[in-house]
Amino acid sequence: MKNISLYKVLAGIAVLCLLAALWFIWHDGIAHAGYYIIAFFIMLAIACRGSQTLKGFSYTIIIFAAVTTALYFPQYFIQVNGFKLSGLITPLLQLIMFGMGTSMGLEDFAGVIKMPKGVFIGVGSHFIIMPLLGFTLAKLSGFPPEIAAGIILVGCSPNGMASNVMSYLAKANLALSVTITAVSTMLAPIFTPLLMKLLGGEFIKIDALSMMWDIVKIVIFPIGAGILFNKYLLKRALWLETLMPLVSMFGIAFIIVIITAAGRDSLLNIGGLLVLLVLIHNLMGYTLGYWSGRLFKMSERDCRTMAIEVGMQNAGLASGLAKAMGKIATVGLAPAVFGPLMNTTGSLLANYWHRKPLGDDKRGEKVILTTK
């Protein structure tokens, strides 16, 4: 009861902070409301931990707090004692990908044999729908070429691990979700550079071979190391199963903060429209992904998987590639916006489907989340 009361008090403080922020925005302008907006997000994030329904949104709200902090105080997230914090993006991504590898095994790829139709449709839909949506939105945006190219880069990226969590919560086909993520990630060194060259080359110069090597360094090598670590050493280091997800969440948050600080001026100019376009990109991905499953007469469980696997991207990898191109403050903006939005919409969709019965669909298998 004491804990519940504490969460209610924090929720009340969050409301007061929001009211104070609105008062300052009304009287003095949004530039003077920073501390209260940041405090609102932090208090709200902690308060959500006290609700089973809202608990899953806590991390995303913390991301909003971090992004707001970077917008108001960018000077603290650009460089420290002459060291540019953007230099941490690639190592952090490699650490996150290593963590992804430690949660994988060669058996995750066995789904290609067990569920070839679902894997083919899922991977194919992902690398067709999202790049074309990104290209269309970039053409319509009217943004400077480098910022528009960032929208395409998000669309050309593979799936992220977050899609597996959302698939589990949505009562989708978790085994299929894990396999699609694994296969699309392994294919990323080929498809992402080629698609970017084909679609993004109209906006900025793309060195496909260089991007291919960057993806191998950022994704393939760390994941491969993680898989080997999982197979031969993880049983003697079970604490990593708890630590790596926390490291990944911190790493993603820090990367988003660095990019937000670097691209602050551009975000303040086009932020509202960018958020809208990224949201459309994400939601259309869910919608077209779901109906691609329906088109091929897949089960309801598998259609949910298609929706989530198509709509959710590895925005972290897109950020790393933007950094490798030396365009973190422009090309990196769309990935930085896509990450938090994707987790918010994905959580809402997963919670909706979690409460919605699968109906008379007998083809879906009962999926049990197991801990390795």
Side-chain angles (χ1 to χ4, degrees):
M1 290 296 291
K2 290 182 179 179
N3 287 337
I4 295 176
S5 298
L6 176 61
Y7 289 126
K8 288 183 178 179
V9 170
L10 292 174
I13 295 174
V15 172
L16 292 176
C17 289
L18 178 60
L19 292 174
L22 293 174
W23 189 88
F24 274 100
I25 291 172
W26 177 263
H27 287 274
D28 302 312
I30 195 169
H32 296 84
Y35 288 110
Y36 297 98
I37 298 175
I38 295 168
F40 162 71
F41 282 129
I42 293 174
M43 293 298 106
L44 182 62
I46 300 173
C48 285
R49 300 293 296 175
S51 167
Q52 287 299 321
T53 303
L54 301 176
K55 189 175 182 180
F57 295 102
S58 182
Y59 174 67
T60 301
I61 297 172
I62 284 291
I63 294 288
F64 289 145
V67 167
T68 304
T69 304
L71 286 173
Y72 275 98
F73 309 103
Q75 65 273 20
Y76 299 113
F77 303 101
I78 295 176
Q79 64 179 23
V80 176
N81 294 327
F83 175 75
K84 291 185 177 180
L85 294 180
S86 60
L88 297 174
I89 291 177
T90 298
L92 282 172
L93 281 171
Q94 290 171 325
L95 185 60
I96 292 168
M97 292 300 111
F98 173 81
M100 179 178 175
T102 61
S103 67
M104 295 171 63
L106 296 178
E107 62 273 11
D108 292 330
F109 296 90
V112 177
I113 299 173
K114 296 177 181 177
M115 302 169 286
K117 175 184 174 182
V119 174
F120 181 79
I121 295 171
V123 174
S125 298
H126 182 86
F127 280 120
I128 292 173
I129 292 172
M130 292 305 278
L132 291 179
L133 279 175
F135 177 76
T136 302
L137 292 171
K139 290 284 286 186
L140 295 174
S141 68
F143 289 156
E146 291 187 359
I147 296 177
I151 301 175
I152 301 174
L153 181 58
V154 171
C156 295
S157 298
N159 312 92
M161 281 294 285
S163 64
N164 302 153
V165 177
M166 300 307 172
S167 291
Y168 169 67
L169 294 175
K171 296 181 180 179
N173 189 334
L174 180 59
L176 179 60
S177 173
V178 170
T179 302
I180 291 174
T181 298
V183 172
S184 73
T185 301
M186 293 300 109
L187 291 176
I190 299 172
F191 282 103
T192 298
L194 291 180
L195 287 168
M196 269 305 289
K197 182 74 173 178
L198 178 65
L199 302 175
E202 181 177 331
F203 296 86
I204 58 173
K205 182 179 180 182
I206 301 294
D207 186 337
L209 289 177
S210 177
M211 182 176 288
M212 188 178 296
W213 176 237
D214 287 331
I215 296 174
V216 170
K217 289 188 296 183
I218 294 172
V219 177
I220 305 302
F221 286 163
I223 286 181
I227 291 174
L228 293 174
F229 191 90
N230 177 41
K231 183 174 179 62
Y232 296 108
L233 296 174
L234 191 55
K235 292 180 180 179
R236 285 174 279 173
L238 294 178
W239 53 272
L240 274 179
E241 292 185 356
T242 302
L243 178 63
M244 289 311 300
L246 296 175
V247 171
S248 296
M249 287 191 293
F250 170 80
I252 292 169
F254 196 57
I255 289 169
I256 291 173
V257 167
I258 293 171
I259 297 171
T260 301
R264 176 182 181 272
D265 293 341
S266 295
L267 273 175
L268 292 179
N269 288 329
I270 51 92
L273 181 56
L274 180 61
V275 169
L276 177 61
L277 292 178
V278 165
L279 182 61
I280 292 172
H281 196 183
N282 178 223
L283 296 180
M284 287 297 293
Y286 294 142
T287 304
L288 295 178
Y290 181 88
W291 285 102
S292 69
R294 281 287 177 227
L295 178 66
F296 290 97
K297 303 185 185 305
M298 301 179 76
S299 67
E300 170 65 18
R301 188 185 297 277
D302 288 352
C303 286
R304 294 181 182 186
T305 306
M306 294 299 111
I308 292 170
E309 288 300 314
V310 172
M312 301 191 77
Q313 303 291 94
N314 191 335
L317 173 60
S319 299
L321 295 176
K323 166 65 174 61
M325 287 188 282
K327 303 181 186 297
I328 194 65
T330 51
V331 177
L333 288 182
V337 173
F338 196 97
L341 276 179
M342 171 189 75
N343 284 298
T344 302
T345 58
S347 298
L348 291 170
L349 181 60
N351 279 298
Y352 168 73
W353 269 334
H354 184 78
R355 292 172 173 78
K356 186 177 181 181
L358 290 168
D360 296 328
D361 182 6
K362 302 297 184 183
R363 288 171 289 176
E365 298 178 43
K366 183 178 180 181
V367 178
I368 301 175
L369 186 64
T370 58
T371 303
K372 296 180 182 179

